[in-house]
Each structure stands twice: as C-alpha cells, then as structure tokens.
Amino acid sequence: STPEQFWRAMEGGSVEDGTLNRFLLVGGAGRPEERDPTHDPATVPASIVDALLAIYERSGAMQATLRNQADMDPTPNRQVVAWSDTRTKAAYDHFSKHVEAKLSDPDSASFYARTAEMALRIATIVAVGRHPFNSLNTVTVEDMEFGKVVALDSAETMIAGAADYMADTDNQAAAQRVRRIIKERGGRVQHKVLLRAMQHSMKARDLRDLLGAMVDAEELELQKVEPGAGGTPVTWYRTIE
C-alpha cells in the first residue's frame, strides 16, 4: 500500500488497542529500475514449493490434513524451535530489556509493545526456513539479529508514519500535511511553494493561523530572508526535529 492509503485506513484507536503493533511494516523509498524478469512470474520454483510443503507436513501428512479443522488441538504436534546456544538467548534477553526501556515513553509505548515478540517470531521463521527439510532447526544469533533489525525498523516506521498521517481532527490532519510537504522538500520551503503544494485545500486565513500555531509550538521555524538587492523579504518555513 502507499503510506497515504495505509494510514487513512487506520483510526486513532488502532494505536492504543494493539491493532497497529501487530503489523510488520517495511517501507521502500523510491522506485527500482524497470527490468525484465529472469524467471516466469506465473511459476513458483519447485524448490520453494517442496521446501514449504516439507515444513507444512513436518508433523505428518495426517496432522497436516487435520490442521485446518477449527476444533483441532495443535498442542501435541507443536514444534519447539530451541536456542542454538546461550549467546542467542542472551541476545534476545538484552533486546527485550532494550524494548522494555522504551515502554516508559507514553508517546511511543504502544508502538513498541510487541517489538521483542515480533523479533523472536521473525527469527524463528527464518530459522525454520533456512533448513526446511531438517526438523532440528535452532534459532541462532544471526537469526535473532535479523529479527531485531526488522522488528525495530517496523516499530520506528509506525511511529514516524503515525506522526505524519494519523489525525483525530481536520486541523491535526492539515498540520501533518504541512509537515509532510516541508519534509519532502528537504525540511525547508518557501511560503509560496507551500501554498501551491496545499492546492487551496484550506482558506488562506486558516492556513496562516495554522502555520502561526505550529511556529508557536516550535514545530516549525519561521525565517525571513532579505533579498540581496532589497525588496520584499522572502518567507521560509523549516521543520524542527
């Protein structure tokens, strides 16, 4: 999804009720160069099909058949993926404490609430997928490091996205749009450029009041630049991190 579409679908309550931190967000800046595919996009390679099937049927073909029944108890056939050694468990414990420290910030606690759990889940998936035909997989330090990086980046992407897009009021949404416009232009923009980018979505007086309030709140810095040869000063706005 595009950021605008994704965040528009999220309501303010999605942060507090735990809906949002169940997502794994992976952002991509820019577009890759277009190229012809090296494989048939309609055909999944047999090696991938066979590996996924091996994981799915690891507990036995009969159990795999019953797995989709609503009343089936998966407990007897649950596979436990162990730590490869004490270093891996220590890496998880250290990361869990690192995340726990972030929960003291009320503004970001809801985003980090499941980050350690998410990192462990990613690490376990990677561990099982690395050797799909071997039922004795273990989570290694490398798996845990990968999970930590992906989960932490996801949480930070959520925090940045919520700040830029999620709004409870029209005024808050307008302020977020102003910040996005300025950030997309390098963090500093002329007043006239900002006006054009807003595409007359606000009345001029309302926009002036909004920009004034954002300057007073130290979200923006107002800069007046005197032309070298005299004339009317040029108004700029700069975001304050």
Side-chain angles (χ1 to χ4, degrees):
S1 176
T2 63
E4 291 84 358
Q5 291 173 326
F6 176 79
W7 290 105
R8 193 178 301 127
M10 296 290 106
E11 298 178 355
S14 299
V15 175
E16 300 299 332
D17 65 14
T19 299
L20 189 57
N21 58 35
R22 285 181 169 87
F23 282 90
L24 179 65
L25 302 188
V26 180
R31 294 175 60 85
E33 293 184 7
E34 187 174 349
R35 63 181 178 85
D36 294 330
T38 56
H39 295 77
D40 181 3
T43 303
V44 179
S47 58
I48 295 178
V49 174
D50 292 342
L52 290 173
L53 189 60
I55 294 171
Y56 186 74
E57 293 185 343
R58 183 169 293 171
S59 57
M62 180 62 70
Q63 293 300 325
T65 302
L66 298 175
R67 191 171 291 129
N68 291 325
Q69 293 187 11
D71 59 348
M72 181 197 176
D73 179 10
T75 305
N77 302 291
R78 182 178 297 139
Q79 178 188 356
V80 177
V81 183
W83 305 110
S84 62
D85 50 38
T86 56
R87 292 185 308 121
T88 308
K89 177 62 164 61
Y92 169 75
D93 290 340
H94 178 76
F95 181 65
S96 183
K97 291 178 182 177
H98 173 71
V99 172
E100 189 73 25
K102 292 180 177 293
L103 301 183
S104 60
D105 182 353
D107 293 331
S108 60
S110 297
F111 297 97
Y112 286 112
R114 287 187 173 86
T115 303
E117 172 190 331
M118 187 76 75
L120 180 57
R121 185 176 302 165
I122 295 167
T124 305
I125 292 171
V126 172
V128 172
R130 191 191 316 104
H131 301 295
F133 300 99
N134 181 0
S135 61
L136 300 178
N137 303 84
T138 58
V139 177
T140 65
V141 170
E142 291 75 18
D143 298 332
M144 198 62 240
E145 290 299 323
F146 179 82
K148 285 163 51 179
V149 170
V150 175
L152 198 58
D153 183 73
S154 175
E156 292 169 352
T157 299
M158 289 181 196
I159 292 172
D164 285 345
Y165 293 97
M166 292 189 76
D168 295 324
T169 66
D170 291 342
N171 196 62
Q172 187 180 14
Q176 289 172 329
R177 185 178 182 189
V178 167
R179 281 194 294 269
R180 291 200 303 273
I181 290 171
I182 299 176
K183 287 168 64 176
E184 289 166 358
R185 288 160 177 76
R188 186 170 179 263
V189 69
Q190 287 189 41
H191 181 75
K192 64 180 181 181
V193 174
L194 177 60
L195 286 177
R196 286 198 294 266
M198 291 293 289
Q199 299 179 333
H200 306 288
S201 59
M202 294 182 67
K203 295 180 180 178
R205 182 181 62 185
D206 293 339
L207 181 58
R208 282 197 303 270
D209 291 343
L210 175 62
L211 292 171
M214 294 179 72
V215 170
D216 291 342
E218 297 185 351
E219 297 177 30
L220 298 178
E221 178 186 354
L222 174 64
Q223 300 174 335
K224 295 282 189 178
V225 179
E226 299 285 346
T232 305
V234 179
T235 300
W236 290 76
Y237 292 98
R238 184 180 71 85
T239 53
I240 300 175
E241 298 298 336

